[in-house]
Amino acid sequence: MCIFATQTARQYMFNTFWISHKLFVVLYVLTLLHGAGRLVQSPWFPYFFTGPAILFTLDKLVSLSRKKVEISVIEAEILPSDVTHLEFKRPPNFEYKSGQWVRIACIDQGRNEYHPFTLTSAPHEDTLSVHIRSLGPWTNNLRQLFDPDSLADRPYPKIYLDGPFGAGQQDWYKYETSICIGAGIGVTPYASILKDFVHMMSIKSSYKIRCKKLHFIWVTASQKHYEWLTDIMRQVEAVDKNNVVCIHIYITQFFQKFDLRTSMLYVCEEHFTKVSNKSLFTGLKAKTYFGRPQFDKIFTSIQKSTKVNKVGVFSCGPAGVTKGVDNACQEAIKNTRAAFLHHYENF
């Protein structure tokens, strides 16, 4: 169980990982039998085991009681950077918050093999959508299943949907100023949040939210890796008439700040932005930076401009980004005396 719980095993041998972890039942049975002989003393393990076992059983009963509904996929796109976009029907009475996630099973790959993915659609939209990056056998096979060349004239495979489930990102609206940081495929929850926030602010009379300003920091090796997100941000900019969303893009696949080539990129970007009011690299109004963001300075600057005492910081990405954001929060607290509350998810 320990061997197949490693990141490499889960990525390349998920089915083996899943089957091996079902052996936990055998492990607990053998543990109970081991103490049943009372060779030394009365066993204590059953006292610690009973409570969690009851909760686990209740959770399983709830999961089994969920009605499985086949959902038709409306649209599928094979995007660059091994990303697959699926848009499917929204089940009746399906209510969720931006930033939440669902579990999906593809019928052609097994009815009981569910995998978690963050919704990239917004709650006000009529359909649901996810963006799935191919990182292992299941996601690679899913990409092939929905490839137009593989489908020919056949309809899209149907899916099962379970959820929605809560996530730390969903509390973004509880702060007057929120900072959302996405790195790599960790940008997916913010696609939903950006669209949801702009929609809420456009019809303030229908929504009462505390958040007044949302800063989105996108850290990516290249803007070409996630062009679908650029399209979403372009839509957000088009409807954001009050500038309630501030987007910062950091492209890290460049040389150091004082390298000649990077300096020339800065000059070209600055000039093009002044002339056309949009980025040379992304085509967005948002300014593009080269190199890694200095989160502590960014946080301090945002707090001083807004004068709030509590800032919500939300990050989703690799563990290294999470650690960097957490350290920056602590540094910003020392510099501003304001509270920077960090909510994060790693992948």
Side-chain angles (χ1 to χ4, degrees):
M1 289 173 68
C2 292
I3 293 172
F4 291 113
T6 60
Q7 182 65 32
T8 304
R10 283 185 292 165
Q11 183 170 342
Y12 297 104
M13 298 182 291
F14 182 83
N15 287 331
T16 307
F17 154 75
W18 187 248
I19 293 170
S20 67
H21 271 64
K22 289 183 178 179
L23 294 174
F24 74 90
V25 177
V26 178
L27 173 66
Y28 283 126
V29 169
L30 292 175
T31 304
L32 291 168
L33 292 175
H34 177 71
R38 301 188 179 188
L39 297 177
V40 178
Q41 63 178 28
S42 297
W44 284 83
F45 179 73
Y47 297 106
F48 297 98
F49 172 76
T50 304
I54 292 172
L55 293 175
F56 177 80
T57 304
L58 291 174
D59 178 73
K60 278 295 178 185
L61 291 174
V62 171
S63 298
L64 293 172
S65 67
R66 291 177 183 265
K67 185 180 179 182
K68 291 184 177 180
V69 181
E70 290 187 2
I71 298 176
S72 299
V73 175
I74 301 171
E75 184 181 359
E77 290 182 272
I78 304 301
L79 302 176
S81 301
D82 296 327
V83 175
T84 306
H85 170 230
L86 299 182
E87 182 179 347
F88 42 91
K89 292 182 178 179
R90 183 171 178 167
N93 303 318
F94 186 90
E95 301 295 334
Y96 69 100
K97 296 179 180 179
S98 53
Q100 290 188 327
W101 56 278
V102 294
R103 297 196 308 152
I104 291 176
C106 182
I107 293 176
D108 287 19
Q109 293 205 71
R111 296 170 180 265
N112 297 312
E113 186 176 344
Y114 283 87
H115 291 261
F117 300 102
T118 304
L119 289 167
T120 52
S121 54
H124 65 274
E125 295 177 341
D126 297 328
T127 58
L128 303 176
S129 65
V130 292
H131 286 76
I132 302 170
R133 188 178 181 190
S134 300
L135 291 174
W138 192 90
T139 49
N140 286 329
N141 292 337
L142 185 79
R143 185 175 176 85
Q144 292 176 6
L145 281 172
F146 286 95
D147 191 320
D149 296 332
S150 303
L151 283 170
D153 296 327
R154 292 181 292 112
Y156 291 128
K158 293 190 175 182
I159 62 172
Y160 281 143
L161 182 72
D162 186 21
F165 299 96
Q169 314 296 328
Q170 71 185 49
D171 293 332
W172 60 271
Y173 63 91
K174 295 182 178 180
Y175 301 89
E176 286 188 34
T177 299
S178 291
I179 303 172
C180 298
I181 302 162
I185 198 63
V187 298
T188 50
Y190 306 119
S192 174
I193 289 171
L194 287 172
K195 291 187 288 185
D196 191 24
F197 181 53
V198 172
H199 174 72
M200 287 180 173
M201 296 303 289
S202 65
I203 46 175
K204 287 183 179 179
S205 57
S206 302
Y207 294 92
K208 291 182 179 179
I209 60 172
R210 190 173 182 181
C211 190
K212 299 295 185 293
K213 189 73 174 181
L214 182 67
H215 293 264
F216 174 54
I217 301 174
W218 180 24
V219 184
T220 178
S222 170
Q223 81 281 5
K224 294 182 179 179
H225 284 184
Y226 303 101
E227 290 179 340
W228 58 269
L229 182 65
T230 306
D231 295 335
I232 290 175
M233 290 192 291
R234 190 173 292 111
Q235 296 170 12
V236 169
E237 288 184 342
V239 298
D240 182 20
K241 305 299 182 183
N242 299 319
N243 295 320
V244 293
V245 174
C246 185
I247 299 174
H248 316 262
I249 302 172
Y250 287 84
I251 300 177
T252 60
Q253 200 173 42
F254 286 98
F255 296 91
Q256 296 301 319
K257 183 176 179 180
F258 298 106
D259 183 274
L260 179 59
R261 284 164 286 188
T262 308
S263 299
M264 291 301 297
L265 288 171
Y266 268 111
V267 172
C268 292
E269 172 69 8
E270 288 286 342
H271 177 72
F272 192 85
T273 302
K274 288 179 181 179
V275 172
S276 62
N277 197 31
K278 62 181 180 181
S279 171
L280 173 66
F281 294 90
T282 63
L284 299 169
K285 296 177 184 177
K287 190 174 180 180
T288 302
Y289 303 89
F290 304 101
R292 300 186 182 279
Q294 295 179 302
F295 290 119
D296 54 340
K297 293 182 178 179
I298 296 171
F299 295 170
T300 301
S301 175
I302 291 173
Q303 193 280 329
K304 288 181 177 179
S305 65
T306 56
K307 304 297 183 183
V308 294
N309 295 321
K310 187 184 294 185
V311 179
V313 180
F314 303 85
S315 69
C316 185
V321 172
T322 300
K323 185 177 180 180
V325 172
D326 202 54
N327 292 336
C329 286
Q330 300 304 318
E331 193 65 30
I333 290 171
K334 296 177 184 177
N335 296 335
T336 64
R337 302 297 180 183
F340 286 80
L341 304 180
H342 186 202
H343 310 258
Y344 63 89
E345 288 182 45
N346 293 334
F347 61 83

